[in-house]
Structures are given as structure tokens and as C-alpha cells.
Amino acid sequence: MARRLQPTSAGVVFVIGGAEDKRGRSTVLRRFVELCGGRQARIALVPTASSRGQDVVDDYDVLFRRLGAAEVVALRPETRVAAEDPALAARLDDATGVFMTGGNQLKLSAVIGGTAFAAAIHAAHLRGAAVGGTSAGASFVTEHMVAFGTDGTTPKQRMSTLAAGLGLLPGVIVDQHFAQRNRYGRLLSLVAHSPSLLGIGLDEDTAAEVHGGHTLEVVGKGAVFVIDGSAAVTNAHEARRSAPLLVSGAVVHTLPAGSRFDLITRRLIDHEEVSRGTARRLVAEDD
Amino acid sequence: MARRLQPTSAGVVFVIGGAEDKRGRSTVLRRFVELCGGRQARIALVPTASSRGQDVVDDYDVLFRRLGAAEVVALRPETRVAAEDPALAARLDDATGVFMTGGNQLKLSAVIGGTAFAAAIHAAHLRGAAVGGTSAGASFVTEHMVAFGTDGTTPKQRMSTLAAGLGLLPGVIVDQHFAQRNRYGRLLSLVAHSPSLLGIGLDEDTAAEVHGGHTLEVVGKGAVFVIDGSAAVTNAHEARRSAPLLVSGAVVHTLPAGSRFDLITRRLIDHEEVSRGTARRLVAEDD
């Protein structure tokens, strides 16, 4: 079986910056349930990253049902052998959403990356299931995953490390707890090393939903940062030890709730353009 | 007497992000003394922002002399009446450098802004004296001064406030302790409100020296950030309360020691350009 899948862009990708509201209006998680089909939602909960036991499962189970989901099924591979089990992977067959909890994203890449279970998540996504997660679960979704790093505003050499993620959103890196843990520097340093990748920084209780692999929309309390290093001048290939990096000309987008951004053109989609787009579609439908 | 001076660009402006090394190599302060004329340096020390007494004067007096300055004179107006005293202002007549300490920059704007003492600093600068300071003293140098604000990476409405500064570097706002106090959000929010101003964020123990009002060069341990909002799309005029701001398309430059940046064209001056410039000057001199 070919485990190296082509990047897909069929369903919605929904990534949360961690610490999403679970007691109040739960705006972010409510939106995820809606994207999974609301009253028809069958959500596969993947708590593999978490160091918590059954209670992390119970918490999300109660939450997603309170927010209207029809069914929540916990699938928790803890080893690569478990993640290769066809019976476990088959339980994703009727999922309308896959949600990966926070914790340690390296456990997700180490246990799930490239397995039958990962392939089944890709297949669900191709079928139209919403795939996402919070914190570690958000970072793991992409092809290139932030593994770990140090905090701070100034980008420095050797500040952060990449690993191979699940493989959705191939041209993107997702970092989370962005403002709260001051991860601007590490995301900028990663983008300086790999300007082909667009850096996405998610504040806590804030989500980016990505439709069709390219239209990002922001939900929640904080902001989503997009760092575009494609035109930047940098010394990232020659900076020594932990020196501050030269990164001149990075383009940064700070996007609060309701903002829409095109990951392909790397530009804001403004309200006017959205309205015009809608108008054109309506005209086309009238034809 | 006209107190509203024209922006000047005669001498060097030297702004430090605070917490500069005073015990070791003192790279940043050593460079300031050099710009003041080294063994010929006569430095006017202005500790008005500081809440410390004579010891802040003694500390810098010892330091600047250790680094080679010929003379250090403390001039400390504590009221606007004192700052209007022509005898005090006259003591700046033979200064080759003016250094304002850290503390509270609003005290600098409130006590010194628009006075005879401020006019004398401008006059010294026009004569070629290096004018600068650290932390609060750095922020005060500009026409538009960051008065105070809250920390954090995400730009939010009402996060920071401007006041009128000394009046050098008219198109620039200087923020300090930049990475250490996580002031990215507040500087970006100020630039979103006033895209005509270029935001300059100084890390601790790091300085920007500005020659001729437009060429910035970086000295010290950390980085200097330049935030250019001139092409950004923003909702800063309509965002409510403390909402996260939309700022899409800000161009950010992170510049470690040795980097040179043109504040007029808002572009990095790369080593190649610097070399070509030098070559042209050498040719011109040969002519």
C-alpha cells in the first residue's frame, strides 16, 4: 500500500491554536461541529498526543455532543503497530470529522505519521470530512510540522525544528499558542529557512478553517498570523550558532475573526472581493 | 523664539533598546562614544527620565570615561521652568554627544519637549553632535513617541498611545526592550494607525545608528525590527474596544548587527550595494 499520499484538498482543514473555550459559547468548537455536519456529525476523536487518560476523551465527548454532534468515537493508537491495524483504520470509514487533541505533536508524527491510520484520515478528508485539531493536533495536520522550539520575538538560528506531519496543507507550517507563548521568532526563523512554506501562527481560542486547500477563514477570539517569506532577503543559510537572523522583507498578515485569506495568491480576500465573487456565482447560477 | 523646529538630519541619531552591556565589552556604548568623537567626546548626559538619583549619573559618567570620552556633563532639568533656563541650554553648546538615559519617556516629553533645552539639543544635532539614548531616552528622540502600552504579539485596538517626542527622525516610531517585553503587537498597532510612520523595534543591548536621517545601521547583540505598514490593509480605523486588528501585508525586516537599512526607500541595503556605493565613491574621489 502506498503510504506516501498526494496532498489533498477535498475537505475542510480546521486548526485551532489551543486553549479553545469549552465552557462558554465554545465558538470555535461549535464551528468545527457545524463543519462536520452538525446534527449528522460523526466525529473521530484522536487523543494520541495527550498525556491525559480517559478524561481527555470524556471531556471532548461531552462537549461535541453538547454542541450537537450525533456521535463521537475515540480512536487512540499509542504505537505504530496499533496505527497499522486495518480494523482501527476502518473505524474512520464513516467519520464526517476527525479531531486530534493537544499534547505532544511529535507523538502524533512518531505514532501516526505514514501509517494505515494516517492514510484513512487522508481518505476521510478526500471524502469531504473535516480534519483538524487543537494545539499539537493542529500542528500535525500539515506536511511540514513544527516539532518544537524556543520562544521569543527575535528569530534566531537553531530556534526550532521541523518534522514530517500528516500531509494535508503541503505548503504551510502551523504554529499554535502563538501570541500567548510568543512564537513569532521561531515561526519567522522556520519561514526564513524554507520560504516556500507559508507560516501560520494561531492564537489561543482561535482557528483557521481552510477550504479547498487554499481559502483560509478565521474564527475565534484572537488573530491568525500569516508570515510570507517568499520575497525576503535572509542570511538563514549562513547564520551561526544561535545568532539573530537577518530576515528583511517578510510580509506579515494579522487576521482577526471573519478575515479571509488566499493561501495560493498569499493575499487577503477583502469583503468587496468576496461580495463580487458571490455576485458572480449567483449570476452564473441564474444562467 | 520658534520652538517648533524643522526635522533635522545633520548628526547621527543613536538609539538603544535598553539594558545595554555596561560591564563587559560594552559594544553598544563604546560605539556611541566613538560617534561622539572618542578621545575628543564631550557627552551631555540627560538623566531626566530616570527615577534614580545621583547614581545613574555616576554610572554613566564612569562608563563613558572608561570608554574614552574626554568629558561627561550631567544636565538634568526636572521641570519645564528648568528646561527653559538659557544657562542650562547653553551648556549643550560644546557637546559632541547627547545621551538620554532610560526611565519614563513621558517625563522627557513633559519636561523637555518643546523647550529651550530641546531646541539646544536640535542645535547640537545640526552642528553634528550624536544624539541618542537608551530605552525611554531612545523612544523620546523621534517626532512621534510611543508613550506607553501593553505587551503581546497580537496587535489590538487601544494597545498603545503616542505623544510628541523631541522631533528628530520625523517619520519613525522607536520602541525598545522589543523582544524581551514582546512589543511586536503594540508597534504593529501604532503603524496600522499611522502607516506613514515606520516602526522601529530595538532589542535590548542593541542599537540603531541613523546617519543623515536615512541610513540605519545595527550594532549589538540582538536585532532591530523595522515594520513597514505603508502597503498594509487594515481595519484600524473601525476596530472596536480592544479587538485584535486586521493588518494584512505589513512588511517586516529583522536586522542583526551589521545590517544596513534605508529609511527612505524602506529597503535593506545589502552588502553588494554597500560595496558598489563604496566603489563609486572611491572612483569619484579619484576624479
Side-chain angles (χ1 to χ4, degrees):
Chain A
M1 169 177 194
R3 290 289 151 68
R4 175 74 183 175
L5 295 162
Q6 287 305 303
T8 61
S9 58
V12 173
V13 172
F14 194 85
V15 283
I16 308 170
E20 68 281 3
D21 174 32
K22 299 181 188 74
R23 291 158 189 265
R25 288 182 50 83
S26 308
T27 306
V28 166
L29 291 174
R30 187 180 299 276
R31 176 63 179 156
F32 180 70
V33 172
E34 191 184 318
L35 289 168
C36 295
R39 300 265 157 221
Q40 277 73 52
R42 290 184 303 277
I43 300 175
L45 177 70
V46 181
T48 299
S50 180
S51 59
R52 296 168 66 206
Q54 182 61 25
D55 58 342
V56 67
V57 173
D58 294 343
D59 286 355
Y60 278 104
D61 185 88
V62 168
L63 251 165
F64 284 140
R65 289 180 198 271
R66 170 166 77 76
L67 297 172
E71 198 181 344
V72 181
V73 183
L75 304 176
R76 191 172 199 161
E78 291 282 334
T79 62
R80 288 188 76 81
V81 171
E84 293 288 9
D85 176 2
L88 186 77
R91 297 190 63 195
L92 286 163
D93 284 353
D94 63 352
T96 64
V98 178
F99 188 88
M100 291 173 282
T101 70
N104 178 347
Q105 60 251 45
L106 270 175
K107 187 163 173 205
L108 289 169
S109 62
V111 170
I112 294 177
T115 64
F117 193 73
I121 297 175
H122 275 257
H125 184 58
L126 275 173
R127 265 202 335 268
V131 174
T134 187
S135 190
S139 283
F140 176 59
V141 166
T142 58
E143 172 71 43
H144 297 272
M145 177 188 88
V146 181
F148 50 75
T150 54
D151 299 345
T153 307
T154 307
K156 294 180 181 169
Q157 196 66 299
R158 297 170 207 276
M159 197 174 194
S160 192
T161 303
L162 289 180
L166 180 63
L168 305 180
L169 302 182
V172 156
I173 327 176
V174 170
D175 213 347
Q176 7 80 7
H177 303 282
F178 192 70
Q180 290 75 16
R181 299 191 187 169
N182 196 5
R183 289 174 165 175
Y184 181 84
R186 86 181 199 184
L187 188 57
L188 182 55
S189 75
L190 290 170
V191 167
H193 282 184
S194 308
S196 63
L197 302 177
L198 203 56
I200 297 190
L202 306 170
D203 279 355
E204 292 181 353
D205 197 18
T206 307
E209 52 179 84
V210 181
H211 297 261
H214 65 91
T215 306
L216 178 152
E217 187 160 345
V218 180
V219 184
K221 201 172 72 176
V224 171
F225 289 72
V226 178
I227 304 184
D228 176 3
S230 58
V233 174
T234 177
N235 68 347
H237 61 290
E238 58 190 0
R240 296 195 175 186
R241 295 185 297 277
S242 61
L245 294 180
L246 170 71
V247 190
S248 173
V251 178
V252 182
H253 309 268
T254 308
L255 310 169
S259 310
R260 288 159 57 95
F261 189 88
D262 189 317
L263 298 177
I264 306 299
T265 63
R266 297 185 166 202
R267 292 192 59 192
L268 185 73
I269 303 166
D270 66 34
H271 293 295
E272 216 178 319
E273 288 178 52
V274 174
S275 308
R276 278 201 305 274
T278 308
R280 273 198 300 274
R281 276 200 300 280
L282 289 175
V283 169
E285 281 164 17
D286 282 344
D287 287 347
Chain B
M1 167 179 193
R3 290 289 152 66
R4 175 73 184 174
L5 295 162
Q6 289 305 305
T8 60
S9 60
V12 172
V13 173
F14 193 85
V15 283
I16 308 171
E20 68 280 3
D21 174 32
K22 299 182 188 71
R23 292 159 188 264
R25 288 181 50 83
S26 306
T27 305
V28 166
L29 291 174
R30 187 180 299 276
R31 175 63 178 158
F32 180 70
V33 173
E34 190 184 319
L35 290 166
C36 294
R39 300 265 156 218
Q40 276 75 50
R42 291 184 303 278
I43 299 175
L45 178 69
V46 182
T48 300
S50 180
S51 59
R52 296 168 65 204
Q54 182 61 27
D55 58 343
V56 67
V57 174
D58 294 344
D59 285 356
Y60 278 104
D61 186 88
V62 168
L63 250 166
F64 284 140
R65 289 180 200 273
R66 170 166 77 77
L67 297 172
E71 201 181 340
V72 181
V73 183
L75 303 176
R76 191 172 200 161
E78 291 283 334
T79 62
R80 287 188 77 80
V81 172
E84 292 289 9
D85 178 1
L88 186 78
R91 297 189 64 194
L92 286 162
D93 284 354
D94 63 351
T96 64
V98 179
F99 187 89
M100 292 173 282
T101 69
N104 177 346
Q105 59 252 45
L106 270 175
K107 187 162 173 206
L108 289 169
S109 63
V111 170
I112 294 177
T115 65
F117 193 73
I121 297 175
H122 275 257
H125 183 59
L126 275 172
R127 268 201 336 267
V131 173
T134 187
S135 190
S139 283
F140 177 58
V141 165
T142 58
E143 173 71 42
H144 297 272
M145 179 188 87
V146 183
F148 50 75
T150 53
D151 298 344
T153 307
T154 306
K156 295 180 181 171
Q157 196 66 300
R158 299 170 206 275
M159 197 175 194
S160 191
T161 304
L162 289 180
L166 180 63
L168 305 179
L169 302 181
V172 155
I173 327 176
V174 170
D175 213 347
Q176 8 80 8
H177 303 282
F178 192 70
Q180 290 75 16
R181 298 191 189 169
N182 195 5
R183 288 172 164 175
Y184 181 85
R186 86 181 200 184
L187 188 56
L188 183 55
S189 75
L190 291 170
V191 167
H193 283 183
S194 309
S196 63
L197 302 177
L198 203 56
I200 297 191
L202 306 170
D203 280 355
E204 292 183 353
D205 197 18
T206 307
E209 53 180 84
V210 181
H211 297 262
H214 65 90
T215 306
L216 179 153
E217 187 161 344
V218 181
V219 185
K221 202 172 70 176
V224 170
F225 289 72
V226 177
I227 303 185
D228 176 2
S230 59
V233 174
T234 177
N235 68 347
H237 61 290
E238 58 188 3
R240 297 194 174 185
R241 296 186 297 278
S242 62
L245 294 180
L246 170 72
V247 191
S248 174
V251 178
V252 182
H253 308 269
T254 308
L255 310 169
S259 310
R260 288 159 57 94
F261 189 86
D262 189 317
L263 297 176
I264 307 299
T265 63
R266 299 185 165 199
R267 292 193 57 192
L268 185 73
I269 303 167
D270 66 33
H271 293 293
E272 216 177 321
E273 288 178 52
V274 174
S275 308
R276 279 201 304 272
T278 309
R280 273 198 299 273
R281 276 200 301 282
L282 288 174
V283 169
E285 280 162 16
D286 282 346
D287 289 348

